[in-house]
Amino acid sequence: MNINSLLSSSVSGLPGYLGELGKAQEGGDASFSDILGDIYKMAENTESEDKASTLSLLTGNVDDLSGVMIDSEKAEIALNLTIEVRNKLLDAYNEVMNMQV
Protein backbone atom coordinates (compact mmCIF):
# COMPACT_ATOMS: atom_id res chain seq x y z
CA MET A 1 0.00 0.00 0.00
CA ASN A 2 1.54 3.33 -1.01
CA ILE A 3 1.16 6.65 0.80
CA ASN A 4 -1.32 8.09 -1.71
CA SER A 5 -3.76 5.20 -1.32
CA LEU A 6 -3.42 5.38 2.46
CA LEU A 7 -4.12 9.09 2.51
CA SER A 8 -6.99 8.81 0.06
CA SER A 9 -8.83 6.63 2.52
CA SER A 10 -8.46 9.23 5.28
CA VAL A 11 -8.26 12.71 3.74
CA SER A 12 -10.08 13.59 0.53
CA GLY A 13 -8.32 16.11 -1.67
CA LEU A 14 -4.90 15.58 -0.15
CA PRO A 15 -3.78 12.65 -2.36
CA GLY A 16 -4.76 14.58 -5.47
CA TYR A 17 -2.77 17.51 -4.18
CA LEU A 18 0.24 15.29 -3.48
CA GLY A 19 0.07 14.01 -7.05
CA GLU A 20 0.01 17.58 -8.37
CA LEU A 21 2.90 18.49 -6.08
CA GLY A 22 4.97 15.68 -7.57
CA LYS A 23 4.19 16.88 -11.10
CA ALA A 24 5.11 20.43 -10.16
CA GLN A 25 8.46 19.32 -8.78
CA GLU A 26 9.29 17.34 -11.92
CA GLY A 27 8.25 20.02 -14.39
CA GLY A 28 8.89 23.08 -12.26
CA ASP A 29 5.39 24.41 -12.91
CA ALA A 30 4.50 25.61 -9.40
CA SER A 31 6.37 28.09 -7.27
CA PHE A 32 7.04 27.62 -3.58
CA SER A 33 4.49 30.30 -2.68
CA ASP A 34 1.85 28.51 -4.81
CA ILE A 35 2.45 25.29 -2.91
CA LEU A 36 2.19 27.04 0.45
CA GLY A 37 -0.95 28.83 -0.67
CA ASP A 38 -2.50 25.53 -1.79
CA ILE A 39 -1.76 23.94 1.58
CA TYR A 40 -3.33 26.90 3.37
CA LYS A 41 -6.42 26.80 1.13
CA MET A 42 -6.77 23.05 1.75
CA ALA A 43 -6.73 23.67 5.51
CA GLU A 44 -9.31 26.44 5.17
CA ASN A 45 -11.60 24.29 3.01
CA THR A 46 -11.52 21.33 5.36
CA GLU A 47 -12.15 23.64 8.32
CA SER A 48 -15.20 25.18 6.65
CA GLU A 49 -16.52 21.70 5.76
CA ASP A 50 -16.06 20.67 9.39
CA LYS A 51 -17.93 23.73 10.65
CA ALA A 52 -20.77 23.19 8.18
CA SER A 53 -21.20 19.51 9.07
CA THR A 54 -21.04 20.27 12.81
CA LEU A 55 -23.68 22.98 12.41
CA SER A 56 -25.88 20.58 10.44
CA LEU A 57 -25.58 18.00 13.19
CA LEU A 58 -26.34 20.51 15.93
CA THR A 59 -29.39 21.89 14.13
CA GLY A 60 -30.73 18.37 13.51
CA ASN A 61 -30.44 18.44 9.72
CA VAL A 62 -28.01 15.49 9.72
CA ASP A 63 -28.07 12.38 11.88
CA ASP A 64 -24.73 11.01 10.64
CA LEU A 65 -22.37 11.43 13.58
CA SER A 66 -19.64 9.39 11.91
CA GLY A 67 -19.54 11.76 8.91
CA VAL A 68 -19.20 14.73 11.24
CA MET A 69 -16.36 13.01 13.09
CA ILE A 70 -14.61 12.22 9.81
CA ASP A 71 -14.88 15.87 8.74
CA SER A 72 -13.47 16.89 12.12
CA GLU A 73 -10.49 14.54 11.74
CA LYS A 74 -9.86 15.78 8.19
CA ALA A 75 -9.74 19.36 9.47
CA GLU A 76 -7.36 18.37 12.26
CA ILE A 77 -5.03 16.55 9.84
CA ALA A 78 -5.04 19.50 7.43
CA LEU A 79 -4.26 21.89 10.29
CA ASN A 80 -1.42 19.66 11.51
CA LEU A 81 0.00 19.52 7.98
CA THR A 82 -0.11 23.31 7.73
CA ILE A 83 1.60 23.69 11.10
CA GLU A 84 4.34 21.20 10.20
CA VAL A 85 5.00 22.92 6.87
CA ARG A 86 5.26 26.24 8.71
CA ASN A 87 7.65 24.74 11.27
CA LYS A 88 9.87 23.25 8.56
CA LEU A 89 9.87 26.57 6.73
CA LEU A 90 10.94 28.42 9.88
CA ASP A 91 13.63 25.84 10.58
CA ALA A 92 14.99 26.24 7.06
CA TYR A 93 14.92 30.03 7.36
CA ASN A 94 16.77 29.94 10.68
CA GLU A 95 19.34 27.56 9.25
CA VAL A 96 19.98 29.86 6.28
CA MET A 97 20.23 32.89 8.58
CA ASN A 98 22.80 31.10 10.75
CA MET A 99 25.04 30.20 7.81
CA GLN A 100 28.39 31.90 7.74
CA VAL A 101 29.22 33.55 4.46
Side-chain angles (χ1 to χ4, degrees):
M1 176 176 268
N2 64 17
I3 188 73
N4 281 341
S5 63
L6 180 65
L7 288 174
S8 66
S9 64
S10 60
V11 179
S12 66
L14 185 57
Y17 174 74
L18 290 176
E20 292 299 316
L21 180 60
K23 291 177 187 174
Q25 288 176 343
E26 291 172 5
D29 295 333
S31 69
F32 186 70
S33 63
D34 291 339
I35 293 170
L36 288 177
D38 289 345
I39 291 172
Y40 181 73
K41 287 177 189 174
M42 181 188 60
E44 280 185 333
N45 290 341
T46 56
E47 179 68 24
S48 64
E49 289 172 8
D50 176 39
K51 286 180 181 179
S53 64
T54 302
L55 182 62
S56 294
L57 180 71
L58 292 174
T59 57
N61 296 335
V62 175
D63 292 332
D64 183 23
L65 181 60
S66 62
V68 174
M69 292 302 296
I70 290 171
D71 287 343
S72 175
E73 288 298 316
K74 286 180 186 179
E76 184 178 350
I77 290 170
L79 178 64
N80 287 338
L81 174 66
T82 305
I83 290 170
E84 288 301 317
V85 167
R86 183 210 56 187
N87 290 345
K88 291 295 181 180
L89 178 63
L90 288 174
D91 289 344
Y93 173 79
N94 288 332
E95 189 173 326
V96 167
M97 293 307 292
N98 289 332
M99 285 183 180
Q100 296 199 3
V101 210

